């Protein structure tokens, strides 16, 4: 009931079959709710994330109607872009079973209260938020890939890891600044 139609919507990604290819744990000096709020809007993307905005314009795609237990939508990859990586190119095969349209999209969903996931054409990026204090959150970020892709001798996910680590750190910085602002006496 909590996930409603999400399992059916994302069945082609076969997430249960994917394996963790990389994990980064972040300690962010902000409330977890500010991270969820930041994740669910991209009006800040052109100025804070110029690399992301170049690969996937912030006005592309569409959101689905808000649900009590989750929210999200998609953004479309720009022409010539294969995935969200440092240069938009991809040495990996798309996840098996994806429709051609989903090979041109990245989805961003928040499942309340603390799970963020982003199915890409060639991997799935997930963030699990663990509140440590009112002003501190531990974020476990994982890149999930198909096991056949990971078993290839030429497998390399460093381009996607570098891209999202850079983008995450940009987001964590503005979330920490927002935390400082709401912690002020003036607020």
């Amino acid at each position: 009931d909590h996930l409603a139609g999400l399992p059916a919507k994302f069945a082609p990604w076969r997430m249960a079959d994917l394996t963790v290819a990389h994990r980064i744990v972040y300690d962010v000096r902000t409330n977890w709710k500010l991270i969820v709020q930041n994740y669910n809007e991209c009006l800040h993307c052109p100025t804070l994330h110029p690399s992301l905005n170049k690969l996937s314009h912030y006005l592309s795609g569409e959101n689905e109607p808000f649900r009590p237990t989750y929210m999200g939508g998609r953004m479309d990859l720009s022409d010539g872009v294969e995935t969200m990586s440092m240069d938009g190119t991809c040495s990996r095969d798309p996840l098996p079973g994806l429709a051609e349209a989903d090979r041109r999209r990245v989805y961003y969903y928040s499942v309340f209260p603390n799970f963020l996931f982003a199915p890409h054409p060639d991997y799935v990026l997930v963030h699990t938020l663990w509140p440590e204090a009112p002003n501190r959150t531990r974020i476990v970020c994982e890149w999930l890939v198909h096991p056949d892709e990971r078993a290839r001798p030429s497998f390399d996910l460093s381009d996607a890891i570098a891209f999202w680590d850079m983008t995450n750190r940009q987001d964590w910085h503005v979330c920490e600044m927002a935390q400082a602002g709401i912690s002020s006496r003036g607020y």
Side-chain angles (χ1 to χ4, degrees):
D1 289 343
H2 193 82
L3 297 176
L6 291 181
K9 180 181 186 102
F10 293 111
W13 277 261
R14 297 176 18 203
M15 291 186 209
D17 297 338
L18 303 183
T19 183
V20 175
H22 192 75
R23 175 181 293 130
I24 297 177
V25 178
Y26 300 94
D27 185 14
V28 185
R29 295 179 318 269
T30 192
N31 186 281
W32 65 277
K33 294 175 189 174
L34 291 174
I35 296 166
V36 173
Q37 184 179 31
N38 174 272
Y39 186 80
N40 286 296
E41 66 84 12
C42 205
L43 295 175
H44 69 277
C45 289
T47 53
L48 186 64
H49 308 303
S51 296
L52 183 149
N53 198 57
K54 180 181 172 187
L55 300 176
S56 180
H57 193 273
Y58 79 108
L59 293 177
S60 72
E62 60 186 28
N63 289 321
E64 69 173 74
F66 178 79
R67 309 289 173 130
T69 56
Y70 71 85
M71 66 185 297
R74 72 162 213 273
M75 291 174 66
D76 301 326
L77 296 173
S78 299
D79 290 340
V81 173
E82 299 170 334
T83 193
M84 301 299 273
S85 64
M86 290 305 281
D87 63 3
T89 64
C90 184
S91 63
R92 296 167 299 280
D93 289 335
L95 292 169
L98 291 187
E100 192 61 37
D102 286 329
R103 293 179 181 193
R104 303 286 317 135
R105 298 173 174 164
V106 177
Y107 294 84
Y108 300 93
Y109 277 77
S110 297
V111 178
F112 304 131
N114 69 328
F115 185 67
L116 316 174
F117 74 100
H120 291 62
D122 55 314
Y123 60 92
V124 175
L125 181 64
V126 299
H127 296 84
T128 309
L129 312 178
W130 297 105
E132 299 286 326
N135 61 353
R136 196 170 137 247
T137 306
R138 182 171 44 93
I139 304 169
V140 179
C141 180
E142 297 173 312
W143 287 257
L144 311 176
V145 300
H146 193 275
D148 292 346
E149 186 67 30
R150 188 167 185 202
R152 290 177 42 197
S154 62
F155 175 73
D156 182 13
L157 192 63
S158 62
D159 57 338
I161 294 166
F163 176 81
W164 282 111
D165 184 47
M166 171 189 68
T167 304
N168 282 339
R169 290 178 189 280
Q170 292 165 341
D171 278 328
W172 309 159
H173 175 70
V174 297
C175 289
E176 288 178 341
M177 290 180 6
Q179 180 69 45
I182 66 172
S183 299
S184 71
R185 289 182 58 182
Y187 183 83

